[in-house]
Amino acid sequence: MTTPFVIAVDGPAASGKGTLSRRLATQYGLRHLDTGLSYRAVAHALLSADLSLEDEAQAVEAAREVDFAGLDPLVLSTHEVGEAASRVSVHPAVRRVLVEKQRDFARVAPGAVLDGRDIGTVVCPDADVKLYVTASPQVRAGRRHREILRLGGQAEYGAILADIERRDARDMGRADSPLRPAADSHLLDTSGMSIEAAFLAACAIVDEALGAKN
Ligand code: DC
């Protein structure tokens, strides 16, 4: 039996890591897990039950109930849920429960692309490929702003930038598993790069790792 091939993709909010990860999974025939959705599911469960996001015991209960097969991106992708997810993700006990489930997902053949904040550092430290996808806060805010307008919504660039900076500070500053590049990750700064160029750069890195593994 061949060991699963795992690609870890980390990066800050709105860096484009989700789109990149989905494309890599399709390209290489791997399963894909957006681990942010699992933290969002915990936050959504607490918000729906009118429970405090600071209540670690309830959050752990919600984390145990999370079923990766049933995560609905439409329900979980709202700005409010994202902000709440960033807050529940600081609880170490919540992280322990979700990280165990994420590792189980990665272990199944033929392997997977996992994207999040701590995949290369904590969830899959032995991943075959580690990518750290980033872009300046201004570029990320600009992309998110254009996307909202394209979908017919309304948003103010300055408010989006402030949100992104607040989320970065929380995700990078928390004590347990802060967002940071793994020492052996490949840095993809997409500030001056299209998503297509980032995808091609990532494929070149993955191809090299696949060649070395086979
Ligand atoms: O990637 P996202 O915006 O869906 O993530 C929502 C929040 O979940 C993010 O602000 C921090 C948290 N998160 C995390 O702590 N660890 C992960 N592996 C993924 C997300």
Side-chain angles (χ1 to χ4, degrees), residues 115-172:
D115 73 80
R117 303 290 192 289
D118 60 341
I119 309 302
T121 51
V122 176
V123 181
C124 302
D126 298 327
D128 296 276
V129 176
K130 297 182 187 179
L131 303 173
Y132 190 84
V133 185
T134 190
S136 70
Q138 290 75 13
V139 167
R140 287 184 278 136
R143 285 183 190 151
R144 180 152 282 178
H145 188 223
R146 281 192 297 280
E147 177 68 2
I148 293 172
L149 299 186
R150 190 180 66 80
L151 296 172
Q154 284 191 337
E156 200 207 313
Y157 170 82
I160 296 176
L161 179 60
D163 261 8
I164 282 184
E165 289 178 333
R166 191 176 55 239
R167 187 97 81 82
D168 282 0
R170 197 185 293 123
D171 294 348
M172 294 173 186

Side-chain angles (χ1 to χ4, degrees), residues 1-7 25 28-33 68 99-114 123-124 128 213:
M1 201 184 78
T2 54
T3 50
F5 189 81
V6 176
I7 304 177
Y28 293 98
L30 299 170
R31 293 143 54 251
H32 171 238
L33 181 66
F68 290 165
V99 164
E100 227 16 81
K101 292 185 183 207
Q102 291 159 5
R103 285 185 182 144
D104 288 344
F105 182 93
R107 267 194 277 267
V108 178
V113 182
L114 283 81
V123 181
C124 302
D128 296 276
K213 188 163 171 132

Side-chain angles (χ1 to χ4, degrees), residues 17 35-36 39-40 85-86 89 95 116-118 167 171 174:
K17 65 185 186 305
T35 62
Y39 289 92
R40 284 170 181 264
S86 176
S89 70
R95 303 199 67 84
R117 303 290 192 289
D118 60 341
R167 187 97 81 82
D171 294 348
R174 68 176 176 231

